[in-house]
Amino acid sequence: MNHFSFYSPTKVIFGKGVADQIGTETKAWGGTKVLIHYGGGSVVRSGLLDRVKKSLDESGIAHVELGGAVPNPRLGLVYEGIDLCRKEGVDFILGIGGGSAIDSAKAIAIGVPFEGDVWDIYLNKVKETDALPHANIITLAATGTETSSSSVITNEEGWLKRGHNSPFNRPRFTLMDPELLYTLPPYQTACGIVDIMMHTMDRYFSHGGTNEVTDRIAEVILRTTIQYGKICMEDPENYEARSEVMWAGSLSHNHLTGLGLPGDWAPHQIEHELGGMFDVAHGAGLSAIWNSWASYVYDADPMRFARFGVNVWGLDMNWQDPSVTAREAIRCTVDFFHSIGMPVTTTELLGRETTEEEMQELAVKSTYFGARKLGNMKVLEEKDILEIYRNAR
Ligand code: NZQ
Ligand code: ZN
């Protein structure tokens, strides 16, 4: 088994009605004045925001609020949140909603005690040494940000989307109530299913794995997400199905599915540029490029893709030529994405073909303008990434 370190310190409270514990939990973690940060209004319409305020009031915790985090959350609102917290003397941040609201809340939490420009942290120019404590109520099973060490922000200047990984991004607690997912539009449910699968697959598809426990956990999470994800699509108020997918979402991105593996992450990086440039939903961007990426790299380790086919899709192994099983596994995955209404090409994603100029811009941006290569299955340079964008049309 390969060496690894595992740190997942977020307290998880899971079940019906747990959102109403926000006041007591925040108090237990020392919050006295909180910023409630949310998105475009789904938490207002569902009544969740009122429940949160009531619970905080009952625990005697003062609060201010800032809505407006959009999908692919913007840096401008992060700056606004930082100013508001400083002015109001906020000592605890609560992100309420999908991954975008929670990522924006994490950026604010890091930005408040930081003296420079928080964007420099996302550009890896400087490291933070502190953050306000933060927690969340997640309303979309997808990103795993409710327990993850990541936050992804888009800078409106140049439309650069950048992720930041740090222990300071770890929430103190998360309240996970599967009933809060019932109001999700089918498209967002499907995007979430893809994202959960991809957090596991971007770790699973990498060289050097000899950690059987890690691999088997990953395969179980994938099978569970596929099985119960289909039920969520057909029966959005099925509590059991929503629960299974929601918990799989956290486990897929708290790093349990990647212990001892280097991970690949090229699909995520290739998608982030699509999100930054075209403002598409993250899960849909992932499904749109995955076939192209997988078809480009699988011959670097056909056995890995074939194993995925056998253990996740129930295929028979073609021992004479595992590449056949590998290709069949890719086809099963793409068919599944299609079956839940997800695009499997960038043309389906955008409603038109990307131009050569756009693809060149995407490719160079994804290498951070030549500063990095992507991936582990195959190490991808700008020319490879360009080819993947071309084949994804
Ligand atoms: O803004 P509101 O009104 O809340 O509506 C949202 C938004 O329109 C809506 N929504 C959320 N919960 C709902 C709901 N509508 C009805 N009922 C509910 N219960 O769904 C829409 C999408 O929300 P968003 O938060 O953008 O989606 P998601 O959770 O997929 O987050 C995507 C963002 O997270 C980043 C992505 O790149 C993207 O920016 N990621 C964050 C990661 C992390 N921090 O660990 C990892 C991921 O790989 C990902 O990159
Ligand atoms: Zn993701």
Side-chain angles (χ1 to χ4, degrees), residues 42-43 48 96-98 102 137-141 180-181 183-184 246:
S42 70
V43 300
L48 178 61
I96 312 271
I102 293 173
I137 301 177
I138 185 88
T139 64
L140 207 176
L180 295 175
L181 310 180
T183 53
L184 279 169
M246 193 177 206

Side-chain angles (χ1 to χ4, degrees), residues 142-143 195 198-199 253 265 268 272 282 286:
T143 60
D195 197 19
M198 289 301 307
H199 291 151
H253 203 36
W265 293 106
H268 258 81
H272 278 173
H282 174 61
L286 288 168

Side-chain angles (χ1 to χ4, degrees), residues 2 89 100 141 263 298 340 351:
N2 296 336
S100 295
Y298 82 94
I340 58 170

